[in-house]
Amino acid sequence: MDLSLLLRGWRVTLGGLAVSAVVLGGSQTSSWTSLGPDRIISSILTIAVDPTAASTLYAGTDGGGIFKSLDSGTSWISASQGLNGISTVRAIVIDPRTPGLVFAGSDSGLFTSNDAGLRWRAASGLPRATFDALAITQTGATVVYAISQSIGTF
């Protein structure tokens, strides 16, 4: 199943082995370009665009951890240090006021990075569970909502 959504001028297809995107111009989409990451052997479950730097993308995968691109998807690097073998990442959000602050929901809990995905650590105060979706406030104090089908919303 492919899901498409419009994110800050990008049409992004989630599912399969690659993220496909095209900059939309006018009312017609003329072509699609594969943006990878091609080295992974898993599906992409989520993608996040840095709200202050649209060329920075994070992709959460089913089995490959987190990948990051600094050039709008032309190249990708693994950004999974500190996930400690956790390979399924279902949701990613970036704090719009502090772009280096990134949250990732996985099959083994919620993880945070204060350095734009260089290192991750488990969030404190939450049970170890699968977090399926995340949302973050866009204004005011930073509030992250973490949603788990099994244990509820935090």
Side-chain angles (χ1 to χ4, degrees), residues 56-109:
T56 300
L57 311 172
Y58 295 84
T61 68
D62 183 12
I66 297 174
F67 286 80
K68 181 178 179 180
S69 174
L70 297 173
D71 54 12
S72 301
T74 301
S75 62
W76 293 86
I77 58 169
S78 176
S80 298
Q81 183 176 342
L83 291 179
N84 301 324
I86 294 161
S87 58
T88 300
V89 176
R90 299 181 176 279
I92 300 172
V93 293
I94 304 160
D95 187 333
R97 291 160 303 285
T98 311
L101 183 56
V102 185
F103 299 85
S106 76
D107 280 358
S108 298

Side-chain angles (χ1 to χ4, degrees), residues 33-46:
T33 304
S34 176
L35 298 179
D38 298 320
R39 297 168 285 160
I40 62 171
I41 308 172
S42 62
S43 297
I44 294 171
L45 301 177
T46 187

Side-chain angles (χ1 to χ4, degrees), residues 95-130:
D95 187 333
R97 291 160 303 285
T98 311
L101 183 56
V102 185
F103 299 85
S106 76
D107 280 358
S108 298
L110 181 68
F111 287 79
T112 63
S113 173
N114 291 324
D115 54 14
L118 292 176
R119 292 176 305 261
W120 296 90
R121 66 189 154 280
S124 60
L126 287 171
R128 190 172 171 103
T130 297

